[in-house]
Amino acid sequence: MNKHSVLVIGGGVAGLQAAIDLASMGVTVYLIEKEPRLGGYTSLLHQVFPTLESAEELTKQLLQSSLNNPDIRVLSYAEIESVAGSMGNFRVSTSKGARHVNEAKCTNCGECEKVCPVDVPKKFEMRLATRKAIYLPKPFAVPDKYLIDKEACLYFKDKSCHACQDACPEGAVLYDQEPLREELPVSAIILATGFCQYDTEQVGQYKYGVYPNVITGMEYERLCSLTGPSGGKIVRIDNKERPKSVAFILCAGSRDEKHLRYCCNIGCLNALKHTYYLRQQYGEEVDTYICYTDMRAVTKQGEQLYQKVRASGVEFIHGQPSEVRQTPNGLLTLDVYDLATSKLLSITADLVVLETGLRPQVNLKEKLQLTLDEDCFFMEKHPQLAPNETTRDGIFLAGAVQQPMHVYEALMSASAAAMKVSSFVRSSSVSQ
């Protein structure tokens, strides 16, 4: 067994950073990601705070550093089946999903995609963009090859279609391909599985999922992105026209005993960033409102952005709307009591953006035998002295799986976890 091997679970920016740092310290890394692409949520953003640099370019740098490193082996579209052993001697069983496409033969010609009759809505694209059942994951597919979505493919439903197999000039489509199982011997594990958005439909008064022009902050990022469904134009979802007014609602599902009682950490700064996008694109032509519980523009860059946005004419309303209603012409109306002025205000908006709460991805807690705290995050060994360590020796935490984090915080957490693991691996090697 290689005594200097570590498993990093999660191929978002935290997992990528942890893998890169470990490899630079002479540790062999297995990086496993359940999706067929790397980069996680960050790669889908338009820009990242506080630098407002391209999120895609930032992710690309991490991706290139990891894929070009011979000490990092990437297992994408793969999952953990079981974890046995203990600190210094874990045995991790993995299953790499069947892509139903021979990676060696696939040339990415796209002939299979052209003939596929199935359209699947793209995640976060607000019903404005679709993909086929056989598709090339974007961005940052690893490997950069096609695969079949079994849940959508007609062949796997009733064998009524094999158009992609007939169209492939290389004979690369393999409906009978099986998952590939492998056991990895590792000394330690870093858990960097990140977060998921709170189910905003649970916050019923905002009518997310009911009215098309009520969207999440993540979906808004896709509108702003050049690779998004509107080519970077901020538009109404129902008619793709320029909005005349946009309302941003903070704490949608967070800081609420009925939903998530903790602060999402990123909502305030995201709203400031999102209104900044809007001002950059349309100037003062679009009326802009931010409805907030408390404005937490932490860090010096956050305060600078807050002052810049406030000076641009964005109206800040200290209060939470009671309900979102839709008029016959698709406009949205909401009433909110402004605590700053003691007035009940009525807002009419073409687009309502919900800055939603975040939850950690904890579906591996049983397999890793880890405990959760009262807010359902993985319990840390000590929140001050050992925040990157779990209650199980040899398993470490990195990124937003610990608590809600901005991108730069997740990167710092990942580097801290890598340093802890490197120290652990060196000390365990000496003791053996």
Side-chain angles (χ1 to χ4, degrees), residues 154-168:
L154 296 178
Y155 177 86
F156 289 98
K157 287 185 177 180
D158 54 19
K159 292 185 170 53
S160 62
C161 177
H162 42 79
C164 60
Q165 188 177 62
D166 294 341
C168 180

Side-chain angles (χ1 to χ4, degrees), residues 102 105-106 165 167-174:
N102 186 313
K105 290 185 176 181
C106 178
Q165 188 177 62
C168 180
E170 304 297 329
V173 176
L174 304 172

Side-chain angles (χ1 to χ4, degrees), residues 13-271:
V13 294
L16 289 169
Q17 184 67 61
I20 293 166
D21 286 352
L22 282 168
S24 71
M25 292 181 274
V27 178
T28 299
V29 181
Y30 299 104
L31 176 63
I32 188 168
E33 166 57 46
K34 67 178 180 179
E35 298 292 335
R37 49 174 290 275
L38 300 183
Y41 282 97
T42 300
S43 64
L44 300 175
L45 301 178
H46 175 41
Q47 295 174 336
V48 293
F49 179 84
T51 57
L52 296 184
E53 65 183 294
S54 166
E56 186 172 345
E57 287 302 314
L58 174 70
T59 309
K60 186 182 295 183
Q61 292 180 48
L62 293 171
L63 193 68
Q64 290 173 342
S65 295
S66 58
L67 294 180
N68 293 334
N69 196 310
D71 289 327
I72 300 175
R73 180 185 169 200
V74 176
L75 293 86
S76 65
Y77 204 40
E79 298 196 29
I80 305 295
E81 291 197 326
S82 65
V83 178
S86 59
M87 175 179 65
N89 187 27
F90 289 109
R91 299 181 305 282
V92 182
S93 297
T94 66
S95 175
K96 185 173 174 60
R99 302 173 70 94
H100 304 289
V101 171
N102 186 313
E103 297 172 10
K105 290 185 176 181
C106 178
T107 62
N108 286 353
C109 66
E111 294 301 317
C112 57
E113 189 175 21
K114 292 177 183 177
V115 299
C116 179
V118 178
D119 289 314
V120 181
K122 282 188 177 181
K123 194 174 184 181
F124 301 123
E125 307 292 61
M126 299 145 289
R127 304 166 298 281
L128 296 181
T130 59
R131 62 165 172 80
K132 295 298 184 177
I134 187 165
Y135 69 105
L136 187 64
K138 294 181 180 179
F140 307 128
V142 177
D144 189 19
K145 303 290 183 179
Y146 276 81
L147 79 157
I148 292 178
D149 178 357
K150 286 182 63 175
E151 298 298 319
C153 179
L154 296 178
Y155 177 86
F156 289 98
K157 287 185 177 180
D158 54 19
K159 292 185 170 53
S160 62
C161 177
H162 42 79
C164 60
Q165 188 177 62
D166 294 341
C168 180
E170 304 297 329
V173 176
L174 304 172
Y175 294 128
D176 59 351
Q177 191 179 57
E178 295 293 329
L180 179 63
R181 290 177 169 80
E182 182 179 4
E183 184 174 278
L184 305 176
V186 295
S187 298
I189 297 170
I190 292 182
L191 189 60
T193 47
F195 67 87
C196 59
Q197 290 191 114
Y198 185 68
D199 182 4
T200 318
E201 291 186 18
Q202 299 297 316
V203 193
Q205 70 267 31
Y206 297 143
K207 300 298 190 293
Y208 177 77
V210 178
Y211 302 150
N213 291 318
V214 178
I215 64 175
T216 66
M218 186 67 207
E219 292 169 334
Y220 181 86
E221 287 275 352
R222 297 303 300 147
L223 283 182
C224 299
S225 174
L226 294 175
T227 61
S230 58
K233 285 291 184 181
I234 302 169
V235 295
R236 285 175 51 153
I237 307 306
D238 58 351
N239 58 19
K240 301 181 180 62
E241 293 182 356
R242 177 180 68 84
K244 296 179 180 178
S245 61
V246 180
F248 297 86
I249 301 177
L250 275 60
C251 300
S254 56
R255 298 186 64 192
D256 188 332
E257 292 292 339
K258 296 179 181 178
H259 304 286
L260 305 177
R261 67 176 189 170
Y262 52 86
C263 174
C264 74
N265 188 42
I266 67 172
C268 293
L269 288 173
N270 274 351

Side-chain angles (χ1 to χ4, degrees), residues 296-338:
R296 296 177 171 178
V298 295
T299 76
K300 63 180 181 181
Q301 295 96 337
E303 179 63 22
Q304 291 167 2
L305 183 59
Y306 169 68
Q307 295 298 339
K308 183 181 293 186
V309 168
R310 196 166 192 102
S312 72
V314 173
E315 186 170 346
F316 287 77
I317 301 172
H318 189 184
Q320 291 290 103
S322 57
E323 186 179 11
V324 174
R325 303 175 299 277
Q326 182 173 273
T327 65
N329 62 356
L331 292 177
L332 302 167
T333 64
L334 47 152
D335 297 327
V336 54
Y337 183 77
D338 187 358

